[in-house]
Amino acid sequence: MSRMPKLPLAVTMGEPAGIGGDILLKAWVEHGGALPPFFVIDEPARLVGLARRLGLEVPIREIATPAEARDTFHQALPVLAQSLATSVIPGSPDPRNAPAVIASIDRAVALTLGGEAAGVVTLPISKHILHQGGFTHPGHTEYLAELAQKAGSPAVVPIMMLSCDAVKVIPVTVHLSLRDAIVSLTSEAIVTAGRQVAQSLRDFFARPNPRLAVAALNPHGGENGDMGREEIDIIAPAVAQLQAEGIDAFGPAPADTLFHPEARDGYDACLCMYHDQALIPIKTIDFHHGVNVTLGLPFIRTSPDHGTAFGIAGSGKANPSSFVAALRQAAEMVIRHERAVLAAERAAAHTPS
């Protein structure tokens, strides 16, 4: 990456008993010189012990403010201290540490909204463990939206996009059972997602004229109503609305033919109707480099597209590639945003009053 953001990225702790710490330390060792500077909000002593366990030489440097991270990053891993309630055993999560995990997210968002960090990169959490600790949200995405609204942002509708070089997919319904996803699917939700995705592709992904594919829900696109009417009653009207608003969208298209290479060449992003319809193709196509990007927030947020992997936590087997991709994706989005702001300022300066 030839250019780096002006500010460091804020990385959250994630579930401390999962592989978040493993991939964080391995990324710094294996790719540090080529990564955008970041700091992590975590317990320094935990990371020191984990590095020792993994046999990695990672100097840990506690910082007092994010501003110290850029100068520190290439000599040591900058850590903004966040104390844990109890010691961590890799692979054995403890709900008593849930408040620290949540506090790490809160602080990363506050520092980014406060202009001290460029964006937020979240390490994987265990929703089940957080729920035992009192967390009431379905996942990261919904919680980040609430934090944005509490900070004064107008009604935030977060959109989850999974991205890799080969494909970008968006689940219109996210953390719901399949039964509930089908019941909750609406034309309005599809249109809202399509608008936000099209705008974000223009703003952050250098797609001035984005083309959106819209997947069908039922097999064979519903077979003209013989296999379900959702395509006729919900999805097709949403596609027509997006087209009426000037967005280049097509569908509903049968999902089983949307993700082979020739099909992917025909669109910039695909709106999918439920969680696994989106995540199965991207994880099959590029499991190790997928990135979770939350669109629609007043700050940039990315995350590795995988979970806590308790079974290999602390073993050294975790692959940091998705985390590295998430850091680079966040930095690229920040840089494009900085360029857009600069261009707007220059244009305003040359506009006669």
Side-chain angles (χ1 to χ4, degrees):
M1 187 180 298
S2 59
R3 212 181 138 218
M4 297 291 182
K6 297 174 183 176
L7 298 171
L9 296 166
V11 176
T12 66
M13 177 190 301
E15 167 51 56
I19 62 169
D22 301 42
I23 60 178
L24 170 80
L25 296 168
K26 290 180 76 173
W28 190 89
V29 169
E30 296 173 8
H31 304 276
L35 292 178
F38 64 84
F39 63 94
V40 59
I41 303 170
D42 206 323
E43 187 174 79
R46 177 185 92 86
L47 295 176
V48 169
L50 182 59
R52 187 181 304 117
R53 177 189 179 110
L54 297 173
L56 299 175
E57 294 187 11
V58 183
I60 304 297
R61 186 169 301 170
E62 185 174 340
I63 59 174
T65 66
E68 300 172 44
R70 276 191 71 102
D71 293 336
T72 299
F73 183 75
H74 296 296
Q75 290 77 45
L77 178 63
V79 181
L80 200 61
Q82 176 64 54
S83 297
L84 290 159
T86 188
S87 58
V88 175
I89 301 173
S92 299
D94 192 321
R96 288 177 292 179
N97 284 325
V101 175
I102 296 167
S104 177
I105 300 169
D106 293 348
R107 293 176 69 189
V109 170
L111 290 167
T112 302
L113 289 174
E116 296 185 70
V120 178
V121 180
T122 58
L123 287 171
I125 58 172
S126 168
K127 293 183 282 291
H128 175 67
I129 296 300
L130 291 187
H131 289 158
Q132 291 183 50
F135 189 71
T136 59
H137 297 75
H140 256 133
T141 303
E142 297 83 358
Y143 185 57
L144 292 168
E146 180 178 289
L147 290 179
Q149 289 179 305
K150 285 182 176 178
S153 296
V156 173
V157 181
I159 304 296
M160 176 191 289
M161 181 172 78
L162 294 308
S163 173
C164 68
D165 288 344
V167 69
K168 290 176 172 54
V169 291
I170 300 90
V172 173
T173 62
V174 187
H175 297 118
L176 297 171
S177 70
L178 184 55
R179 182 189 301 274
D180 289 344
I182 293 170
V183 171
S184 68
L185 184 66
T186 64
S187 297
E188 181 182 5
I190 298 169
V191 171
T192 298
R195 287 176 185 145
Q196 183 60 67
V197 171
Q199 187 61 51
S200 294
L201 288 172
R202 289 189 287 265
D203 291 345
F204 299 115
F205 293 90
R207 302 287 197 277
N209 300 296
R211 181 165 170 77
L212 305 182
V214 182
L217 174 70
N218 295 299
H220 305 295
E223 290 280 15
N224 296 314
D226 291 341
M227 292 187 182
R229 291 194 54 86
E230 286 85 0
E231 285 72 22
I232 296 169
D233 297 336
I234 297 173
I235 304 173
V239 173
Q241 179 62 39
L242 291 171
Q243 293 170 341
E245 295 179 13
I247 295 172
D248 186 2
F250 70 92
D256 62 350
T257 58
L258 269 177
F259 300 107
H260 59 84
E262 292 85 353
R264 299 198 306 268
D265 287 342
Y267 59 82
D268 295 296
C270 180
L271 302 185
C272 300
M273 299 302 104
Y274 56 93
H275 185 276
D276 284 10
Q277 189 181 60
L279 272 72
I280 288 173
I282 191 169
K283 290 192 175 186
T284 301
I285 292 165
D286 196 352
F287 182 82
H288 290 300
H289 298 92
V291 177
N292 183 345
V293 183
T294 305
L295 309 178
L297 297 172
F299 54 89
I300 288 166
R301 180 263 177 156
T302 67
S303 180
D305 183 23
H306 60 68
T308 53
F310 289 126
I312 60 170
S315 70
K317 296 178 181 178
N319 188 328
S321 297
S322 185
F323 174 58
V324 170
L327 289 166
R328 290 175 172 160
Q329 181 71 86
E332 289 170 4
M333 292 173 70
V334 170
I335 289 167
R336 289 196 180 106
H337 178 67
E338 289 174 351
R339 287 173 177 164
V341 170
L342 182 60
E345 290 173 350
R346 287 174 175 170
H350 288 87
T351 300
S353 57

